Amino acid sequence: MAFDKMELRDIEVWDGNFAAAQALRQCQIDVVSAYPITPSTPIVEGYAKFLADNYIEGEFVMVESEHAAMSGCIGASAAGGRVATATSSQGFALMVETLYQASGMRLPIVLNVVNRALAAPLNVNGDHSDMYLGRDSGWIQLDAYSPQEAYDLNFIAFRVAEDHDVRLPCMVHQDGFMTSHTAQGVKTMDDDTAYSFVGDFKPMNDMLDFEHPVTHGVQTEEDWHFEHKARQHNDLMTKVMPKIQTAFDDFEKLTGRKYNIVEKYDMEDADIAVVCMGTSVETAREVAKEMRGKGVKAGVVGLRVIRPFPFFEVQEALKDVKAIAALDRSSPNGAPGMLFNELAGALYNTDTKALLSGYVYGLGGRDLTKKHLTDLYSELQANVDAGKVLTPLQQFIGVRGPKLQFL
Amino acid sequence: MSEMKKIKNLKEFSTSADRFEGANLLCPGCAHSIIVREVLNATNDDLVLAASTGCLEVCTAVYPYTSWDASWIHIGFENGSTAVAGAEAMYKALKNKGRLKQPDRNPKFVAFGGDGASYDIGFQWISGCMERGHNMMYVVLDNEVYANTGGQRSSSTPIGASATTTPAGRVSYGETKNKKDMMSIMAAHHIPYAAQVAPNKWKDMVKKIQHGMEVDGPVFINAVSPCTTEWKFDPKDTMHITDLATDSLVFPLYEIIDGHELNITYRPKNVVPVEEYLAAQGRFKHLFKDEYKYLIKEWQERVDANWAYLNRREEARV
Ligand SMILES: Cc1ncc(C[n+]2csc(CCOP(=O)(O)OP(=O)(O)O)c2C)c(N)n1
Ligand code: SF4
């Protein structure tokens, strides 16, 4: 091959953005079509620099907007090669129309979403508003809690998305700044090992096969639209989880690093559990450990896969607990948070009698402190002791001014 | 570079390739299909095509059917240009990496869009593609209206036309703005080639399309596409209306090379008065009321002034 290999140390100090960029390099992305936005910009800058330094062979198309970025990715992917891009927040919002188009056309694009709040008010910091905005768009959504995971999950993403049984695009999420701009030790794979995990891109119905011309992106009305959408939804619900599990298993064999669809921490005998995503998982684990020291049977459930929603894994993880807190890092605007709603949906027809309450935290980059979580665990324990939820269903953690809560 | 297709006469031309089937749902008399066939038939090269949402797209790729026997993609209303740009980028990447399935092929990348998709909502995407220099051709099917959604005005709709969002009424003569000058705007991107074409002048069109496909870089083509439904004329009269458009100089045929060198490619022997062009279409019917006759005069003056301007540009050889 014409490009140069890069020598990596076994452990490199990378932030989440650079870790993701390195993964794109090692997967040898054919086309990146991108538009910058804080805090995800360094991912595509990284790809461009690798290209400039001949560590990669491919095309970088610096388009004029995020909508065009995903449009370019769609055209490139339909042409039959490996495609990725990155975005955040408003850029993600501008992309939304094309997200549906990409998934409806069954194109295995990988999108790194560095999570950030949605304006107004304008805010560049991390929360999960954009992540939730993507949740119905037909994409697979994986969540990384650290730079290491941002690196690893990109390989998983390509493996699953490009599987010919799946052919659905995949997002890899990480928390804006907290993960994207925080450097940590990242265990690396050498270039050949990394590439061998994703393998060569295997085109399907590609527009550049002139012996077999294809029509992409047709019109369907009531006679076919339902079948297409139902099939897409069915495939997402039934085919993706087993493929993710296999990819996790293979990845563990290759690297020793183990991922789970739902990450359980101290859940074997837990009475109370916090369910959350992103960097808050690590904080919650710390606090749960301390609560254990005080005799409180606390556990943490971290979602690794957001779409498809891991119903069975969540049911299994929470089947024996007595109280659950759903932590939503987005403003639900008119309803309890997404995680609260989804947990309620997942648990309703099970035998669990767990008390469920919802908490909104960390909007616009606001810290979630250990103290917040200690108080939260105490509230859950109080709910258990009282046998009912003592607080309103939805509360806001750490917001200034009069206490905000509802339902 | 591949061999340019040789075309002897119209009969041979019209049947020389069938990558766009007659089986489609476009209205009888729709010029879109004629233009598309002329563009595709101008070349024997492999094609990667895109269409924006609009009449062409919804009438030619209705699952489980397709009218296209060439690779074709539709994403949305605004991004047909960028779909082709993405495919072209992938072609370059795979070519450099030696991964093309048929490495000896020399495909051309062409996007089609209506005037709505191009002059309005997709404007930014096209500008981006032109500026970035993708090796692609963008063809506007300029029917001066949002036809697919039932005849709303676009920024290509000319003054005095009655459209559903600028209807002629008791106190209105319809559209009040001048048609956007896309040719100048696109040429200002300093692209290697921009041209106006019309389906009736098929030889001129083939020459321009062939030239456009051979140049290296982005090409912009604006094709007048009379719409029987929204312009309100009899489907059998499409070519007659197109003749009136080119011969009245309402739609002059010219090209701009490298953003500056302008060549007029068709000079009608007998220039037809604009009034005849307007009179042939229902969308201008109200202009013939006494109180709006001055608009017809203004129309003629505008067309004359534009023709004089194009001639000055051509003579100046700048
Ligand atoms: C984002 C978006 N906005 C609006 C529409 C609705 N829409 C579909 S086609 C169309 C008009 C098409 O007009 P034009 O591009 O001129 O093509 P024509 O149908 O006249 O050939 C509109 C408004 C859409 N599909 N997508
Ligand atoms: S409405 Fe006009 S542009 Fe659309 S298919 Fe009919 S004639 Fe063609």
Side-chain angles (χ1 to χ4, degrees), chain A residues 195-383:
Chain A
Y195 187 79
S196 73
F197 182 77
V198 292
D200 290 340
F201 184 85
K202 292 181 203 64
M204 185 170 174
N205 300 332
D206 51 311
M207 292 201 293
L208 297 180
D209 180 355
F210 302 107
E211 298 299 329
H212 305 97
V214 280
T215 295
H216 279 278
V218 291
Q219 157 104 347
T220 60
E221 290 303 337
E222 69 284 1
D223 54 347
W224 278 109
H225 190 79
F226 200 177
E227 279 71 21
H228 281 286
K229 286 290 182 184
R231 171 58 67 89
Q232 182 185 331
H233 183 49
N234 181 70
D235 286 358
L236 189 59
M237 296 292 281
T238 62
K239 291 187 175 172
V240 172
M241 281 307 185
K243 296 285 183 186
I244 293 177
Q245 191 55 58
T246 309
F248 281 167
D249 294 345
D250 291 349
F251 194 75
E252 188 189 355
K253 271 182 226 137
L254 187 72
T255 65
R257 295 195 287 280
K258 183 170 172 56
Y259 289 98
N260 297 293
I261 287 165
V262 160
E263 303 285 1
K264 294 181 285 187
Y265 180 84
D266 267 359
M267 286 302 295
E268 296 75 25
D269 61 341
D271 282 340
I272 57 176
V274 162
V275 185
C276 53
M277 291 183 255
T279 40
S280 58
V281 176
E282 276 193 37
T283 318
R285 285 174 183 166
E286 279 292 308
V287 176
K289 202 191 316 178
E290 288 173 13
M291 298 305 283
R292 288 268 168 178
K294 293 183 206 160
V296 179
K297 288 184 174 175
V300 183
V301 171
L303 296 194
R304 182 65 74 197
V305 184
I306 300 155
R307 281 291 181 274
F309 189 77
F311 293 91
F312 302 122
E313 294 81 356
V314 160
Q315 286 171 354
E316 203 282 321
L318 296 171
K319 66 181 187 315
D320 296 325
V321 296
K322 299 186 177 119
I324 306 165
L327 258 63
D328 275 292
R329 192 167 206 155
S330 81
S331 177
N333 273 313
M338 182 195 88
L339 200 46
F340 176 92
N341 272 322
E342 303 219 333
L343 289 178
L347 298 176
Y348 186 78
N349 275 341
T350 64
D351 294 334
T352 182
K353 296 282 174 291
L355 302 163
L356 179 63
S357 43
Y359 294 83
V360 173
Y361 75 100
L363 300 188
R366 176 70 52 85
D367 277 342
L368 178 73
T369 65
K370 286 169 71 176
K371 168 85 167 65
H372 290 142
L373 283 162
T374 309
D375 292 350
L376 191 153
Y377 273 118
S378 303
E379 273 186 29
L380 291 187
Q381 188 58 51
N383 290 347

Side-chain angles (χ1 to χ4, degrees), chain A residues 119-193:
Chain A
L122 187 65
N123 174 297
V124 297
N125 295 314
D127 74 27
H128 293 168
S129 308
D130 50 9
M131 180 197 292
Y132 291 126
L133 189 58
R135 72 183 192 262
D136 297 332
S137 63
W139 286 57
I140 302 163
Q141 288 177 278
L142 307 176
D143 192 28
Y145 314 157
S146 67
Q148 179 74 61
E149 297 174 359
Y151 177 67
D152 293 348
L153 290 187
N154 265 284
F155 298 101
I156 306 287
F158 285 105
R159 255 285 274 270
V160 175
E162 291 175 3
D163 188 304
H164 280 192
D165 289 341
V166 174
R167 290 184 299 119
L168 284 167
C170 183
M171 295 177 205
V172 179
H173 293 276
Q174 57 175 293
D175 276 349
F177 292 105
M178 274 163 278
T179 304
S180 66
H181 285 64
T182 304
Q184 291 181 351
V186 174
K187 291 185 190 140
T188 64
M189 293 180 273
D190 66 65
D191 286 3
D192 289 336
T193 308

Side-chain angles (χ1 to χ4, degrees), chain B residues 202-217:
Chain B
W202 67 274
K203 279 188 197 157
D204 176 74
M205 174 130 143
V206 166
K207 236 169 105 181
K208 286 171 176 167
I209 298 295
Q210 290 192 334
H211 178 81
M213 288 201 176
E214 290 310 307
V215 302
D216 192 19

Side-chain angles (χ1 to χ4, degrees), chain B residues 115-130:
Chain B
D115 50 289
S118 313
Y119 284 57
D120 299 331
I121 194 169
F123 186 72
Q124 167 188 310
W125 285 254
I126 299 172
S127 174
C129 288
M130 297 291 130

